[in-house]
Structures are given as structure tokens and as C-alpha cells.
Amino acid sequence: MTPSTTVTVTILDKEYCIACPSDARASLENAARFLDGKMREIRLSGKVIGSERVAVMAALNIAHDLQRLQQQQQQQDSLAREQVRELLDRVDTALGSE
């Protein structure tokens, strides 16, 4: 089991202390920088006021992007399965004709 460590990240100029496994520290810091960047973009647009609303909008945007990527991945997986089926059919046909 990986020992846990406390990591301090800064998001919109606020510090948060978060416990995470030692081997996940870099990933957590990258995620925090990503979130901070998204929240700053939204705040700079001037269309959303208040840290809580900025956070919700960032979360919605990230969730939307994740759903879109998951859907694309499912489509690619489906296409790959179909291509494998077609290749197996070709192999079966080739072996059956011998």
C-alpha cells in the first residue's frame, strides 16, 4: 500500500491541503493546475461572478468534455470491435477455402 501524503494546491489564489497517495502527488498537482486554469478562464470572461459559480461552471465544462471524450472512446471501441470481427470473418473464409 502506498503511504499517504498531504499536498497543498492553490486554486484561484486559495490554498487547499489534500491527502493523497505519495505516487499520486504529481497527478493531483497537474489536476489542480488544470482546474485553476479553467476557473481563471471563466473568471476572466467576466460572464460568471463569484468563486462558487466559477467552480460550478468549470466543473460543468470539465464534465461535458469528459462525457464527450467517453462517447468518442466508445465509438472508437465499437469501430475497432467491428474491424476485428471483419478480419476474423476473412480469416475464417480464407481457412475454410483451403
Side-chain angles (χ1 to χ4, degrees), residues 13-93:
D13 303 322
K14 285 189 178 183
E15 287 190 349
Y16 299 89
C17 293
I18 303 167
C20 75
S22 297
D23 61 352
R25 180 184 180 119
S27 179
L28 174 62
E29 290 171 338
N30 285 336
R33 277 191 296 276
F34 180 79
L35 177 58
D36 182 61
K38 289 291 186 183
M39 289 178 69
R40 286 179 187 281
E41 284 176 21
I42 291 168
R43 187 174 69 179
L44 286 173
S45 76
K47 296 178 183 176
V48 180
I49 299 172
S51 296
E52 186 176 305
R53 289 179 182 261
V54 168
V56 169
M57 290 305 298
L60 283 171
N61 288 337
I62 292 168
H64 178 261
D65 290 345
L66 175 62
Q67 286 180 328
R68 187 176 36 84
L69 289 171
Q70 287 174 330
Q71 187 177 36
Q72 288 174 352
Q73 185 63 50
Q74 288 173 350
Q75 290 171 347
Q76 289 175 348
D77 290 349
S78 179
L79 179 61
R81 278 192 296 276
E82 183 60 32
Q83 289 173 335
V84 168
R85 272 191 223 103
E86 289 174 10
L87 288 172
L88 287 173
D89 287 345
R90 283 180 168 176
V91 168
D92 286 343
T93 301

